Amino acid sequence: MEINEKYIAEIVEKVLRDTRETETIKKQKGVFETMEEALEAVGKAYTQFRKYTIEQREQMISKIREFTYAEAENLAKLGVEETGMGRVTDKIMKHQVVAAKTPGTEDLDTRAYSGDAGLTLVEMAPFGVIGSITPSTNPSETVICNTIGMIAGGNAVVFNPHPNAKKTSNYAVDMVNRAILEAGGPENLVVSVANPTMDSTKEMMSAPAVKMLVATGGPGVVKALLSSGKKAIGAGAGNPPVIVDKTADVEKAGRDIVLGASFDNNLPCIAEKECFAVDSIADELIYHMTQNGAYLIKGKQIDELVKIALVENKGKLGINKKFVGRDAKKFLKELGIDADPRLIICETDFDHPFVQEELMMPILPIVRVKDVDTAIELATKAEHGNRHSAHIHSKNIDNITKFAKAVETTIFVKNAPSYAGIGVGGEAHTTFTIAGPTGEGLTSARSFTRQRRCVMVEALHII
Ligand code: NAD
C-alpha cells in the first residue's frame, strides 16, 4: 500500500493541534468540558462568595480592571484572528473602556424610608448564579463587562459564549478568574464551556441553579431567552439611523459619522448603520465624509457591492456572514478598487437593503431627503422598532426633540460619534449589554440584582 506522506503529516499536525488546544483548555481557569461540570463548580463558588464582603468584591474588580488593561492587545488580536471581524486598534480601545468605565459596587444603592412607623431598607441583593450568552462581535469585551457588573452585584456567572468566538471568550474567562484568585476570591466564580453548543445553551437555561439569564445578541437568542420562564435580560439587535439636518455643523457631522460607523468595522450594535441627510447639505456632508476616511462608490459599483455583502436565503436577501466586520479594503478589492479607507459610503433610496438590513460592515448608505420631517419619519422606520440606538447632528432643539420622541431608542446621541452613547467621549458608564427589549437600558451592577426590603417597626427612627 502506498503511503501518502502529506496526508499523514496533516493528521499528525491535527492531533498535535487538538492536543495543544485540550492542554490549553485544561490550564484555563473556569473553562470546563461539559456544562454539567461548569454548573457544579460555579454553584460551589457562589456558596463561598456569599461570605465575601462588598469591599472584597471591589478588590476583585480592581484586579480584573488591571488585568484587562494589561491584556487588551492580546484579547483584541485574538478576537480579530478567531472571528476574522473587526479592527485590532479599535478592539484594544473597547477593552480599555470596559476596564475604565464599567461600574463596580458603587453602582449599588440602598434606599431608606424612615418615619413614625420606624425604618425600612431596600437593598440590592444578588440573584445567585447568572447564565450569560455572549456574542461574536464583542466577545471578550462582553465577558469582562458582564463579569464586573455581575460580581459587583454579588453573583457568580456561567457563560455560554458564541461558538465562533469561544477561544477569545474563554481566554477572557480564564483571565478574570486569575484576577479574582489573585485578589483572594474563590475558584470558578466565573465559568464557561470549552465547546459551547445549542445543547449547552439549553442545559444552562434550564438548570435550576441558574436564577437569572442574560443574552447579548440578535433577535433569535433574545426570543429564546424570553421564553425560558426565568428572569431574563435581553440585549438585542439594532439598526441605528443617523440624521443630519441643515442646521448641523456639517464638517463635524461628516467626521463624527465616519468615526462612529467605521469603529471596529461597524460591529457595535450602536454604530450608525444608515444616514438620512437633508438635501441642502447632503453634498457637503458627503464631501466631508470623504475627507475623513470614507470612500464614495456610485452606480453599478453599489449593485456589485450588494452581491458581495448580501446573499439570498430562502428567497430573501440576508447578510453574507463571511463579510461581517471585514475591512473596507476587502470589499473594494472585490470591486477591483485598490484603496484602504475606514468606511465605504454610497447614496441609496430608503428601500435599499443596505438601509434595511443590520449589515455590521463598514458600509454606510446615505438617503437624501427633502426635509428633516421626512428624515425623522424614514429614520424611525429604518430602526424597525428595535428601540436600540439612533443619532442626530443638528443645532435645532425642536428637531432633536422630535426625533428622540419618535424613535424611542435606549440610546440617542446628539452631535457626536455613536460611541459617545457608551461613555466614549460622552458622560456616564459603559456597557456591552444594552437591554432595550427588557428595559434595563445600559446594564450595570444594579441590573443584576434583586431588591429586598427589610423592615424595622417603631425603632431605629431617631428623630
Ligand atoms: P447572534 O445572535 O448570532 O449570537 C449571540 C449569541 O446567541 C451566541 O452565543 C449564539 O450562540 C446565541 N444564540 C443565537 N441564537 C440562539 C437561540 N435561538 N437560542 C439560544 N442561543 C442562541 O449574534 P452575533 O452575530 O454574535 O452578534 C450580533 C448581533 O448581536 C447583532 O444583531 C447585534 O446588534 C447584537 N448585539 C446587541 C448588543 C446589545 O447590547 N444590545 C450587543 C452586541 C451585539
Side-chain angles (χ1 to χ4, degrees):
M1 196 178 90
E2 200 183 316
I3 296 174
N4 183 336
E5 284 184 15
K6 188 166 168 259
Y7 180 63
I8 292 176
E10 274 171 14
I11 293 179
V12 171
E13 170 56 28
K14 187 180 177 309
V15 170
L16 286 175
R17 198 170 53 235
D18 289 351
T19 315
R20 273 199 303 271
E21 281 186 3
T22 314
E23 285 303 310
T24 317
I25 292 161
K26 273 191 198 145
K27 280 190 216 129
Q28 279 186 324
K29 298 203 177 295
V31 181
F32 291 85
E33 289 291 332
T34 65
M35 184 54 83
E36 195 183 344
E37 290 169 302
L39 287 166
E40 199 190 321
V42 78
K44 283 185 191 153
Y46 178 62
T47 309
Q48 279 178 270
F49 191 45
R50 293 214 54 188
K51 302 187 190 99
Y52 282 65
T53 62
I54 293 174
E55 194 182 343
Q56 284 172 314
R57 288 184 207 168
E58 202 46 52
Q59 285 160 358
M60 295 174 208
I61 291 166
S62 292
K63 268 287 168 229
I64 295 174
R65 296 190 200 282
E66 196 184 309
F67 277 41
T68 306
Y69 277 124
E71 292 270 12
E73 192 173 336
N74 287 341
L75 288 160
K77 284 184 177 157
L78 192 57
V80 173
E81 188 187 297
E82 183 182 17
T83 64
M85 304 192 291
R87 286 174 170 262
V88 172
T89 45
D90 296 348
K91 283 197 188 290
I92 292 174
M93 191 174 154
K94 282 159 87 175
H95 287 88
Q96 290 167 340
V97 173
V98 166
K101 296 197 91 170
T102 306
T105 56
E106 74 284 4
D107 194 51
L108 307 175
D109 268 346
T110 297
R111 275 206 315 266
Y113 301 83
S114 76
D116 297 341
L119 175 70
T120 293
L121 294 178
V122 181
E123 291 186 298
M124 291 183 166
F127 263 87
V129 176
I130 300 179
S132 176
I133 299 174
T134 51
S136 57
T137 46
N138 317 308
S140 40
E141 299 89 321
T142 311
V143 165
I144 300 165
C145 186
N146 275 187
T147 297
I148 292 176
M150 289 170 186
I151 71 169
N155 306 282
V157 48
V158 48
F159 284 105
N160 195 85
H162 197 295
N164 297 348
K166 61 186 180 189
K167 267 194 211 165
T168 315
S169 311
N170 286 337
Y171 189 98
V173 168
D174 176 61
M175 187 203 81
V176 295
N177 276 303
R178 286 179 193 280
I180 289 168
L181 286 172
E182 206 173 297
E187 243 186 345
N188 300 320
L189 189 58
V190 177
V191 297
S192 169
V193 280
N195 290 302
T197 59
M198 281 314 258
D199 284 345
S200 63
T201 314
K202 281 189 199 132
E203 199 178 335
M204 181 187 87
M205 282 174 34
S206 58
V210 173
K211 302 293 185 204
M212 176 195 230
L213 293 166
V214 178
T216 311
V221 63
V222 171
K223 196 168 166 223
L225 207 80
L226 295 182
S227 332
S228 70
K230 287 191 178 171
K231 162 75 185 177
I233 293 182
N239 192 35
V242 57
I243 289 178
V244 186
D245 78 7
K246 66 178 183 190
T247 69
D249 176 340
V250 182
E251 183 177 351
K252 182 179 182 316
R255 190 172 59 241
D256 285 357
I257 294 171
V258 174
L259 284 171
S262 68
F263 189 71
D264 210 18
N265 286 341
N266 202 267
L267 287 177
C269 51
I270 53 160
E272 297 85 347
K273 291 200 165 48
E274 60 279 340
C275 176
F276 295 88
V278 170
D279 190 30
S280 57
I281 52 85
D283 289 332
E284 195 188 341
L285 179 72
I286 290 170
Y287 169 77
H288 287 299
M289 285 180 171
T290 58
Q291 295 304 297
N292 286 283
Y295 188 99
L296 177 68
I297 60 163
K298 292 178 178 171
K300 283 211 173 78
Q301 291 172 326
I302 304 174
D303 302 335
E304 284 301 307
L305 193 61
V306 170
K307 289 184 204 146
I308 298 160
L310 299 153
V311 281
E312 210 176 293
N313 189 6
K314 293 176 195 155
K316 206 180 158 273
L317 270 188
I319 55 171
N320 183 352
K321 292 205 165 153
K322 281 193 219 144
F323 277 89
V324 170
R326 284 356 189 232
D327 290 348
K329 72 173 176 203
K330 191 169 174 190
F331 293 89
L332 292 176
K333 195 171 168 211
E334 299 281 325
L335 299 180
I337 300 167
D338 182 20
D340 187 11
R342 281 194 64 98
L343 183 71
I344 300 167
I345 55 171
C346 53
E347 279 198 59
T348 69
D349 59 22
F350 172 72
D351 295 320
H352 196 277
F354 286 174
V355 175
Q356 301 300 327
E357 295 291 328
E358 187 200 21
L359 291 182
M360 294 181 285
M361 298 170 194
I363 299 172
L364 184 78
I366 299 162
V367 181
R368 206 180 268 264
V369 289
K370 67 176 190 310
D371 54 29
V372 72
D373 287 337
T374 315
I376 291 172
E377 188 196 328
L378 295 183
T380 302
K381 275 190 192 153
E383 212 273 327
H384 300 315
N386 292 319
R387 304 205 287 185
H388 193 297
S389 299
H391 318 294
I392 187 167
H393 292 264
S394 170
K395 288 192 178 154
N396 181 313
I397 52 167
D398 293 339
N399 292 349
I400 295 174
T401 309
K402 191 172 176 193
F403 184 33
K405 280 191 176 179
V407 75
E408 290 190 290
T409 47
T410 305
I411 293 181
F412 188 76
V413 175
K414 304 165 284 266
N415 300 325
S418 49
Y419 46 64
I422 53 163
V424 182
E427 287 299 330
H429 72 275
T430 204
T431 186
F432 279 77
T433 298
I434 299 152
T438 47
E440 290 77 9
L442 284 91
T443 55
S444 59
R446 65 178 61 215
S447 320
F448 309 119
T449 59
R450 48 193 281 267
Q451 298 199 1
R452 293 180 57 192
R453 178 186 277 206
C454 189
V455 182
M456 170 66 95
V457 175
E458 287 174 9
L460 291 181
H461 162 53
I462 57 166
I463 48 172

